[in-house]
Every structure is written in structure tokens, then in C-alpha cells.
Amino acid sequence: MQYAGFTVARILKSEIIQKCRTVSHVMFTKHLFLTNVGISLSLSGVGDIIQQHYELLNGDHEKWNRTRTLHMSLTGMTIGVFCHHSYKWLDSLFPGRTLRTVIKKVLVDQLINSPICITIFFATLSCLERSSFETFVKELKQKGWRLYVADWVVWPPAQLINFYILPTRFRVLYDNTISLGYDVYTSYVAHEIPLEDEKEDGNDKRGMPVIS
């Protein structure tokens, strides 16, 4: 037992562990903003890559659309900026970790922050794709509510853990780890062709005649 305890103590004091602590301090304390934005940007891109490869397997596309992945990554960047500051705002608005405080944070996050995130997502995508304001509003109305419904399924239980257990500096990392599946769904919804567009000119999205 003493030998095992000595071994554990040596491991904790090893050079590798010390370097990991240094990197963690740099990423999640000294440069937290850049870390949060980088994580959001990267995992939003990964979510789109997963969704696109699923579409490729289904024969919906002939090749991977790198521009689409870039655009989805950049939406992760803008949302990451917002999330970084919104978590600080929530902690200053509702300090502490009592169950009542955590529930207040979850409700504010769902009722205020989530709609803002969805709006930022579609606004960023609209700017990158050079869409008109009318198209942005149409996309937000048609697809935003679907993301918001999914948001209520995924995030309240996840955020209870986030706000109750984790310190602020790890929340965006936790969010993006949980949201990888949600990012896949977001990519699917954002690039799904509306039914009325499929039937335009009497053809569906595969170019087949539509029988009304």
C-alpha cells in the first residue's frame, strides 16, 4: 500500500503531469477566450463533417462541400464568442451554486441565451452565404423553431450539471463536448431543402417530376 501511494505521488509530480497543468492553466485561465472560441469553431466544423459524410453515404451529394464546413465552423466561432461572455454574465447575475440559483440560470439560458444563439447562427450563415435579409428571416422562421425545440430536449439537463458542478472556465468546453450531436443536427436542419423549394419548377431535389 505504501509503495502504491509512493507511485501515485511520483506520477502526480511527474514532468508530464506538470506540463499538462501548465497547458491547462494557459488554455483555461490565461487565454480562456481564445480557447472557448477555438473549441466552438472546431467542433462545429466536426459536426458538419459528420453530417456531410452521412449525406454522402446516402447519395445526397457527390463530394464533401468544404465551403459549407468552413461556414459552419465560423458560426461556431461567433456563437463561441457569445457563450464565453454569456456565462460570465449569468454567474454575475446569479452567484452561487444552490439548486434554486442553478434552476434560475438554466431558465434564463433557455429563454434568453438560446434564442440569441440560434439567431446568431442563422445571421452568421446568412452573411457568409451573402443571403438577403428576407432569406435570413425566412430561414430563421422555418428552421429556428426546430433547433429551439431540440434545444429544450438537450440543454436543460445538461446545463443543470454545467452550472451546478463546473467552474465557469470549463463550461464552453463541456457545452461543445455535449453539443457535438446537436451540431450534427444543426448542420442537417440548416442545409435541409424546404419542401416548397424541392417542388420548384415541378421537380423535387433529385430532379424527379413532382405529382401534385
Side-chain angles (χ1 to χ4, degrees), residues 87 155 159 162 170-180:
Y87 281 136
W155 289 113
Q159 294 293 51
N162 198 2
F170 294 128
R171 285 183 184 158
V172 173
L173 172 62
Y174 169 83
D175 270 6
N176 280 276
T177 302
I178 296 295
S179 75
L180 183 57

Side-chain angles (χ1 to χ4, degrees), residues 180-192:
L180 183 57
Y182 182 78
D183 289 337
V184 173
Y185 180 69
T186 298
S187 177
Y188 163 73
V189 170
H191 296 93
E192 185 183 31

Side-chain angles (χ1 to χ4, degrees), residues 37-55 64-66 68-77 176-188:
V37 172
I39 290 170
S40 296
L41 183 151
S42 301
L43 290 184
S44 292
V46 170
D48 180 70
I49 290 171
I50 293 172
Q51 175 58 28
Q52 281 205 58
H53 278 73
Y54 174 76
E55 293 169 4
W64 171 36
N65 187 335
R66 290 175 173 79
R68 168 177 154 178
T69 299
L70 174 62
H71 289 175
M72 290 298 294
S73 297
L74 292 174
T75 64
M77 181 185 70
N176 280 276
T177 302
I178 296 295
S179 75
L180 183 57
Y182 182 78
D183 289 337
V184 173
Y185 180 69
T186 298
S187 177
Y188 163 73

